[in-house]
Amino acid sequence: MKKLLFCAAMMLLLGLQALPVNAAASAQPFVRWSVYSADAGNENALRAAVAALNTALQNSEGVLAVYGGEDKNGVMRYLEIYTDENAFNAAQNNANVKTAAAQALKLAQVHKTLAADAFNLQSKIGTADKARMALLVIDPAQLDAYKKVLAKEMQSAVANEEGVLALLATTETARPNVFHLLELYADDNAYRAHIDGPYFQEYNKAVQTMVTDKVLIVNKPQAVTLSGKNLK
């Protein structure tokens, strides 16, 4: 099980959103995770290439956001959020995106994508310096109950805690009880205030028997500017 979770965590780093069709309801944005890592010595070149690709994506019509980060091992994971599948397909066929993607893929030792569905995407305007990610496996028998608890925590925290800039949750298309979370905080103080605050504490207490396994990913400090676009 740990080996499977490690592989899943690697998938998350490379983007966790995949090229396959998103099975989420039409009212939800189309999402995919992309994960990249480089051979030793190519890290800076890949980092620059992925940044150029993400910029090209963000400049494409119908792309709501590309958020993510890089962990201490040099694995880069990004969540791409599109208005719908048509916008995703259009972006992939954009000439600037295709050129940037070809350069990134040439430099990447590993590149993976993961098919995912948007569950709950809460965000506001700001610049985040702390990005955390988590892979959570939920007891299928308690999945509906977990979704209610998670949605309440996300909505309350982003609305009422100044330093919580985005809480973004997706589920794997193939395994709907597996959640990938991206959390963006203004800084470390904002993250710690959230963890100690009433919304996370209520959530954490409620899900003790619901979460059967988890992998936590801490990213390097990196300024992430939130688009301010409505992700819902």
Side-chain angles (χ1 to χ4, degrees), residues 27-40:
Q28 290 283 8
F30 184 96
V31 296
R32 84 166 189 172
W33 287 92
S34 291
V35 183
Y36 308 84
S37 65
D39 287 319

Side-chain angles (χ1 to χ4, degrees), residues 11-18 22 29-36 50 54 57-58 63-69 76-82 88 112 114-123 132-133 154 166-171 180-184 219 224 231:
M11 289 287 290
L12 183 102
L13 182 53
L14 291 178
L16 293 187
Q17 310 310 12
N22 189 317
F30 184 96
V31 296
R32 84 166 189 172
W33 287 92
S34 291
V35 183
Y36 308 84
V50 171
N54 289 341
L57 283 171
Q58 290 171 323
V63 178
L64 298 175
V66 181
Y67 298 145
M76 290 170 272
R77 300 175 179 86
Y78 289 93
L79 173 62
E80 302 166 11
I81 307 173
Y82 304 83
F88 165 77
K112 296 180 181 179
L114 177 67
D117 298 323
F119 167 66
N120 200 305
L121 306 174
Q122 299 289 325
S123 71
R132 292 179 63 91
M133 299 177 182
M154 293 174 63
L167 297 176
L168 310 171
T170 68
T171 57
H180 295 277
L181 309 183
L182 172 58
E183 306 169 5
L184 297 173
N219 291 300
V224 178
L231 304 182

Side-chain angles (χ1 to χ4, degrees), residues 108-142:
Q109 177 192 27
V110 176
H111 171 246
K112 296 180 181 179
T113 59
L114 177 67
D117 298 323
F119 167 66
N120 200 305
L121 306 174
Q122 299 289 325
S123 71
K124 57 194 178 191
I125 296 174
T127 299
D129 187 55
K130 190 174 186 68
R132 292 179 63 91
M133 299 177 182
L135 181 155
L136 304 177
V137 181
I138 308 304
D139 174 11
Q142 302 186 72

Side-chain angles (χ1 to χ4, degrees), residues 37-51:
S37 65
D39 287 319
N42 282 339
E43 295 92 345
N44 287 337
L46 178 61
R47 193 175 294 119
V50 171

